[in-house]
Amino acid sequence: MLYGCASVPAPVQELEVATAALASARSNGAPQHAADQWQLADDKLANARQLLEKKQHSAARRALQQATVDAKLAQAQARMQQRDEEQRALQEELSQLQKRIEAVELTTE
């Protein structure tokens, strides 16, 4: 029986998934609100593309999977930071409203 090296197929689906994950993270503000994690994901996607050009499909698949995970993490971090910023803004608004109420109460006494 002869054994040969079966070539590993190009990770086309993984490339699509990683690209979509980065696009989603970008549209959710990851480059601004989770810059380090976003850059990590973007770098891994670029590395995966280079590996694909060199026909190093196994390594490219791993890099694409990592890029996908990093992009999803960047998106989650961005959302958390945006929600924290919204919460701080609402707390500030509430504080200002409470001060106005106290001022009105003082003038009506």
Side-chain angles (χ1 to χ4, degrees):
M1 182 176 244
L2 295 175
Y3 292 96
C5 292
S7 75
V8 176
V12 176
Q13 183 177 1
E14 289 88 344
L15 178 59
E16 291 171 0
V17 170
T19 301
L22 266 87
S24 180
R26 182 184 303 113
S27 70
N28 281 283
Q32 299 82 21
H33 298 285
D36 291 342
Q37 193 65 40
W38 162 259
Q39 190 61 55
L40 190 61
D42 195 44
D43 290 347
K44 286 181 182 174
L45 179 60
N47 181 49
R49 287 187 169 137
Q50 290 175 351
L51 291 167
L52 283 171
E53 288 176 12
K54 296 176 185 176
K55 307 283 189 218
Q56 296 178 4
H57 296 161
S58 292
R61 178 173 281 109
R62 285 189 300 275
L64 289 166
Q65 291 167 342
Q66 292 171 352
T68 299
V69 170
D70 289 337
K72 289 179 180 182
L73 181 56
Q75 182 171 332
Q77 289 175 343
R79 286 180 177 171
M80 283 179 26
Q81 184 174 351
Q82 289 169 341
R83 294 218 169 53
D84 288 348
E85 290 169 2
E86 290 171 4
Q87 181 181 6
R88 282 191 293 275
L90 288 172
Q91 286 175 333
E92 179 60 30
E93 187 176 337
L94 178 60
S95 176
Q96 293 300 322
L97 287 172
Q98 286 174 333
K99 288 178 184 177
R100 287 183 190 169
I101 290 170
E102 290 172 3
V104 169
E105 288 174 350
L106 288 175
T107 59
T108 59
E109 290 179 353

